[in-house]
Amino acid sequence: SPVSSDDAAAAKPVPSRLLFPAMNPQKRFRVEAPLHLLSKQDPFYIYEVAEQAVERADGCTKTLFEASEGFERAGQSFASLGLFRMAANCEVRKYDCLKATNRLDDAGQALVTASHYHTQETLANHSSHHEANDAALAAMQNAIGLYDEEGREVTAAKLCTEAAELCLKARNPGLGVDVLHVAAQTFLATGQNGYAEKCFQRAAEIAIFDLGDFAEAIDTLEKLAKITPPATQFLVYFKALLCRFVCIPPEQGIQFVIAMEDCHKTLELYTDICPALLFATREYNLLREVLGTQKHMEEDKLEQVISMYIEGNRIGLERWTELLLKKIHDNLVQRKASVEKLYKLVK
């Protein structure tokens, strides 16, 4: 059915770590520095002292904690010099020390900081370095896993929203959508609907702009509509219908007929669920007009209808609404051209 029967209120937190069954191993490297040649303020000196402290710690909590502080100071100094990869490495070593002393909250934060340093590395070089992007995502994944294991689902969910953006930079938008859905479910289960709305909204955007997966966008928007305040709920259903219209095949045939029937039924269903859509004259009329033009392949009329809607909503028009309308128009043009070509062949 067009609308999922899932009850958002009954959602339960999903461990975010389940999205990352094979956690990326956190990379570490050792840079041995000659202490006698360095100033004590040099970050390489501070780093080397911390590494040597770890080597002789032999499980001593105090020594390991002091080493973690050394790594933190070294990392900050490296970052101030623009050496973000080294700064991230220091934070990962800090994480090692803190985890060994069972300071798990601080250990998780060290991984988050390492992720941020890797991100700064890509920004500082004004380019998309795949290795740095992957390292940023790996650090964030491990932080999420750590907080999940400690029962800190909400903290993990908030980090998932950051991880989703890192997934885009790491060329994995599909994982970004999955991460946002898991985060949204956790927020719903803990009564934080505002956060859940933002997650679903962003997931729908990624599905449309980065994946071109309009079926995924429809599913996400229907979940979003369930928790959207009544005043704006009709706009979510409006976008879901536009996505459904995009899914109408660009070729005439049985699949086209089935898709058109599905669109008509879904429009009726949405207006039953959300009467405000029926009374949102501009949006409702657009939906009816678009469906009519699809059936009769009225290209000029569709252009006019779309143009009038865009001009009437120029202020506040979301970029994806215009994109969806363009795709609907392009599909109709393609369908009309294929029919005309077939007609000429038959003739």
Side-chain angles (χ1 to χ4, degrees):
S1 64
V3 180
S4 171
S5 61
D6 295 346
D7 184 1
K12 296 180 180 179
V14 173
S16 309
R17 63 181 180 278
L18 295 183
L19 289 169
F20 314 120
M23 296 294 283
N24 289 325
Q26 199 63 56
K27 292 183 179 179
R28 301 159 177 79
F29 54 87
R30 175 74 185 271
V31 179
E32 295 192 20
L35 296 183
H36 64 285
L37 298 178
L38 299 173
S39 162
K40 290 186 178 181
Q41 283 71 46
D42 189 299
F44 281 102
Y45 182 96
I46 302 170
Y47 163 82
E48 180 60 26
V49 169
E51 285 286 14
Q52 291 183 11
V54 172
E55 289 176 355
R56 67 171 183 273
D58 194 26
C60 175
T61 299
K62 184 173 184 255
T63 303
L64 286 171
F65 181 68
E66 289 174 351
S68 75
E69 292 181 319
F71 285 127
E72 181 179 0
R73 289 196 304 275
Q76 291 170 347
S77 295
F78 282 125
S80 69
L81 296 172
L83 300 174
F84 296 111
R85 183 166 177 263
M86 194 65 199
N89 184 61
C90 287
E91 285 296 325
V92 173
R93 296 296 287 126
K94 174 185 173 183
Y95 155 79
D96 291 334
C97 295
L98 293 171
K99 188 176 182 184
T101 60
N102 208 34
R103 296 173 181 262
L104 299 181
D105 189 59
D106 291 336
Q109 187 55 51
L111 288 175
V112 173
T113 303
S115 178
H116 292 168
Y117 280 146
H118 282 303
T119 300
Q120 286 180 271
E121 180 184 354
T122 64
L123 296 174
N125 290 289
H126 305 289
S127 62
S128 177
H129 288 284
H130 296 328
E131 184 179 351
N133 287 328
D134 291 343
L137 179 57
M140 192 63 73
Q141 287 175 342
N142 282 286
I144 289 168
L146 180 65
Y147 284 122
D148 262 337
E149 289 172 0
E150 291 303 301
R152 301 275 301 280
E153 291 94 351
V154 173
T155 299
K158 289 179 178 178
L159 291 179
C160 278
T161 62
E162 287 193 53
E165 303 306 321
L166 294 174
C167 287
L168 295 184
K169 294 178 181 178
R171 311 165 308 286
N172 195 345
L175 179 59
V177 170
D178 292 341
V179 166
L180 287 166
H181 275 272
V182 167
Q185 189 166 339
T186 296
F187 288 133
L188 287 175
T190 53
Q192 301 184 63
N193 285 20
Y195 282 117
E197 284 182 52
K198 292 178 181 177
C199 288
F200 284 137
Q201 179 86 5
R202 183 64 180 127
E205 288 177 357
I206 295 173
I208 291 171
F209 288 101
D210 297 281
L211 288 173
D213 188 342
F214 297 98
E216 174 64 40
I218 292 167
D219 177 65
T220 302
L221 288 167
E222 287 179 347
K223 291 176 181 177
L224 173 60
K226 288 184 176 184
I227 60 172
T228 299
T232 55
Q233 185 186 48
F234 75 95
L235 289 173
V236 181
Y237 281 122
F238 171 68
K239 292 173 195 170
L241 274 164
L242 290 182
C243 287
R244 197 170 289 273
F245 291 175
V246 172
C247 293
I248 296 174
E251 298 85 18
Q252 202 83 349
I254 186 63
Q255 293 304 318
F256 170 79
V257 174
I258 293 172
M260 285 292 293
E261 181 67 19
D262 178 64
C263 286
H264 279 289
K265 288 182 178 179
T266 303
L267 177 58
E268 292 178 8
L269 180 60
Y270 282 178
T271 52
D272 286 342
I273 296 172
C274 178
L277 178 61
L278 183 62
F279 298 111
T281 309
R282 186 174 292 168
E283 282 71 27
Y284 183 72
N285 286 345
L286 174 70
L287 294 171
R288 294 299 298 266
E289 293 277 8
V290 168
L291 272 179
T293 60
Q294 295 293 310
K295 182 177 181 181
H296 303 292
M297 292 187 292
E298 298 171 292
E299 180 183 346
D300 292 339
K301 184 177 179 181
L302 179 60
E303 287 181 359
Q304 181 183 5
V305 167
I306 291 175
S307 178
M308 288 178 61
Y309 180 80
I310 291 175
E311 288 303 318
N313 292 269
R314 182 56 64 185
I315 298 176
L317 183 70
E318 292 182 274
R319 65 182 182 126
W320 57 346
T321 301
E322 197 163 356
L323 171 73
L324 293 172
L325 290 171
K326 183 180 184 306
K327 284 187 174 293
I328 292 168
H329 172 268
D330 291 347
N331 282 352
L332 184 143
V333 171
Q334 183 178 339
R335 188 182 313 113
K336 184 177 179 181
S338 65
V339 170
E340 290 176 347
K341 182 179 180 180
L342 180 62
Y343 177 76
K344 288 179 181 179
L345 289 174
V346 173
K347 187 176 179 181

